[in-house]
Amino acid sequence: MIDQTVFNNKKAAYYTLGCKLNFAETSTIGKLLAEQGVRKVRPGEKADICVVNTCSVTELADKKCRQAIRRISKQHPGAFIVVTGCYAQLKPEEVSHIEGVDLVLGAEQKLEILQYLENLEKKEHGGTVIASQSKDIRSFSPSCSADDRTRHFLKVQDGCDYYCSYCTIPFARGRSRNGTIASMVEQAQEVALLHFGNKIYIRGLIEISNCCRNNCYYCGIRKGNPNIERYRLSRESILNCCKQGYELGFRTFVLQGGEDPALTNDQIEMTVARIRQEYPDCAITLSLGEKSREAYERFFRAGANRYLLRHETYNELHYRQLHPAEMSGKRRLQCLADLKEIGYQTGTGIMVGSPGQTVEHIIEDLLFIEKLRPEMIGIGPFLPHHDTPFAEYPSGTAEQTILLLSIFRLMHPSALIPATTALATLIPDGRERGILAGANVVMPNLSPREERRKYELYNDKASLGAESAEGLAALQKQLKTIGYEISTERGDFKYTTENI
């Protein structure tokens, strides 16, 4: 039982030396103390507790740790100093005799710090050492950096089984082990709650056309599908959808469609301008495929705020597996660069489990999206359509989709990430599980009911009930069961000095 009175009115300072894994663990230690009422010091304040997470990759690193500990002791006279990390695990007795050190925790004990802070009395004759031998380091404690860095560092693995002659990791951190997907999902949810609370933004989805000039091998509205009943909404029909959506509380309209050759840039520009004129307080999102930079600029000037263009895969060879030869992955990436430069809140993303996708491809996608830093990220499972070349391929899995959604939330804490219709189609509670994994957007369908079934990108696409605009009451009820609620705000990306 932890005596919380020990922490009454206490302030703590945290210092991290070494790798990104250390940063994640220090942040988690800070969270544990914060939950007991310990406040992080502000600049210039003296701390009551100092936690130093050390590195020991080289002798020079050890020296820097010793210097840092002595400096911290002088900066915070009288503070209770806890030293943990690799240096503390490898040379605990040496660390305990550094002036000012009160407690030394090994790798197995560092994230159990609370139970070792029975009192905060300074030690006069060396710090107390609590450290297991390397062979006894077995636990895996999930860790993630929180609000102290622009990018969240997530601990997914610890230790090493390779005893290289030059490396201390197996001795400092023990044998290789990893956490569970459930722990990662839980951390992603915590990050989303930190940034957005329990509010889920709603977007009114208007599918304006299922005509498309492209022949993507995975898509049900591809040009080469002769069995689909084509349609194209008139401007007045689109405006009527916006009117109905506005009355329901929507403040973002998403115009989505295939790359319809009959839908000219002039028509799109005029439609956007009309929506902007009639609904000046609303955001307008377009998802109409690849266009020229000039066209994107025209739509932006007319009033469009956001543009969704999933790149699907960054790997060029994989892109060619998913698309015919006349389409270009480089062209799509250039479109995304143009959209960012113009000033759109830009969205991209991937299909999880698409035919031919490998772990290496997903890593390339993670790195590309990290570099692009989009405001919106769309992650949904591949779902086959019966009238495509990929009709017999298996769907992507909910588990992998939810895992990647969590990873993107942790990598991009401020991003707008939807719980996609594809995930809700794949499994009955897909929307809820997506939200619990870090998603903060849903897009109920505002399209005319008689046209929704025709916009069939994949088999059995969900478009009714809680997936529809008229089903907001059902959606609100579903969200309430998991502790969330609808937000009718525009839900723009919030720019800060850290995420620009």
Side-chain angles (χ1 to χ4, degrees), residues 58-116:
T58 62
E59 286 293 334
L60 179 59
D62 291 354
K63 179 181 178 180
K64 289 182 177 179
C65 289
R66 292 191 294 271
Q67 292 172 337
I69 293 166
R70 295 186 182 107
R71 183 174 64 253
I72 291 163
S73 180
K74 291 177 181 178
Q75 289 175 347
H76 301 277
F80 189 89
I81 296 179
V82 183
V83 181
T84 188
C86 294
Y87 183 32
Q89 173 64 38
L90 292 172
K91 301 175 183 178
E93 293 298 330
E94 178 178 310
V95 173
S96 73
H97 287 92
I98 298 173
E99 184 178 353
V101 173
D102 299 289
L103 178 63
V104 181
L105 296 179
E108 188 76 356
Q109 292 78 27
K110 72 174 70 170
L111 291 173
E112 298 175 354
I113 184 172
L114 296 179
Q115 64 180 287
Y116 300 114

Side-chain angles (χ1 to χ4, degrees), residues 104-300:
V104 181
L105 296 179
E108 188 76 356
Q109 292 78 27
K110 72 174 70 170
L111 291 173
E112 298 175 354
I113 184 172
L114 296 179
Q115 64 180 287
Y116 300 114
L117 296 178
E118 296 176 355
N119 63 70
L120 299 178
E121 294 180 4
K122 293 290 293 178
K123 306 296 187 293
E124 295 183 2
H125 305 291
T128 302
V129 174
I130 306 173
S132 304
Q133 294 185 23
S134 297
K135 65 182 179 62
D136 296 322
I137 300 173
R138 296 188 177 93
S139 65
F140 182 91
S141 300
S143 299
C144 178
S145 63
D147 58 349
D148 49 352
R149 300 184 68 84
T150 304
R151 290 290 178 268
H152 286 216
F153 294 146
L154 173 67
K155 176 180 175 180
V156 296
Q157 184 271 345
D158 203 353
C160 185
D161 290 339
Y162 297 98
Y163 287 79
C164 301
S165 59
Y166 54 83
C167 184
T168 62
I169 288 178
F171 305 99
R173 289 188 170 273
R175 301 297 295 265
S176 179
R177 59 209 184 278
N178 56 270
T180 64
I181 291 175
S183 67
M184 187 179 300
V185 169
E186 182 179 349
Q187 290 176 85
Q189 183 189 15
E190 290 177 3
V191 169
L193 287 169
L194 176 68
H195 286 264
F196 303 101
N198 70 335
K199 310 294 185 185
I200 302 298
Y201 298 128
I202 56 171
R203 319 304 202 192
L205 178 63
I206 306 172
E207 295 160 335
I208 66 173
S209 172
N210 71 348
C211 303
C212 190
R213 64 179 179 176
N214 295 323
N215 246 332
C216 305
Y217 300 146
Y218 51 82
C219 184
I221 65 170
R222 63 197 300 267
K223 178 179 64 175
N225 181 3
N227 300 318
I228 190 171
E229 184 181 351
R230 303 288 179 176
Y231 77 92
R232 183 179 300 113
L233 297 185
S234 66
R235 183 173 303 121
E236 291 309 312
S237 180
I238 294 170
L239 291 169
N240 187 52
C241 292
C242 292
K243 180 176 183 295
Q244 294 175 17
Y246 194 87
E247 291 171 352
L248 289 168
F250 288 90
R251 293 299 179 266
T252 290
F253 303 121
V254 181
L255 274 56
Q256 183 181 73
E259 294 189 20
D260 187 345
L263 193 61
T264 67
N265 293 337
D266 288 342
Q267 291 172 315
I268 296 170
E269 182 180 22
M270 290 175 65
T271 300
V272 170
R274 281 285 302 277
I275 297 172
R276 173 58 58 225
Q277 180 183 15
E278 296 189 21
Y279 305 98
D281 57 327
C282 292
I284 303 171
T285 303
L286 301 180
S287 182
L288 302 173
E290 298 175 12
K291 305 286 183 183
S292 67
R293 183 183 178 109
E294 179 192 10
Y296 289 146
E297 289 173 342
R298 289 173 61 183
F299 306 157
F300 188 74

Side-chain angles (χ1 to χ4, degrees), residues 367-442:
L367 294 173
F368 166 68
I369 292 176
E370 171 71 9
K371 182 178 179 181
L372 181 66
R373 299 176 75 168
E375 290 77 11
M376 301 171 287
I377 303 172
I379 304 297
F382 163 75
L383 297 176
H385 187 280
H386 55 275
D387 285 325
T388 68
F390 292 156
E392 301 303 319
Y393 280 79
S395 299
T397 67
E399 289 70 24
Q400 190 177 29
T401 303
I402 289 166
L403 173 61
L404 283 169
L405 195 158
S406 297
I407 291 172
F408 279 115
R409 170 55 68 209
L410 292 165
M411 291 177 67
H412 304 270
S414 302
L416 301 163
I417 302 178
T420 61
T421 301
L423 186 56
T425 301
L426 181 62
I427 54 175
D429 61 345
R431 182 194 305 100
E432 294 92 325
R433 288 182 62 184
I435 290 168
L436 291 173
N440 67 318
V441 173
V442 295

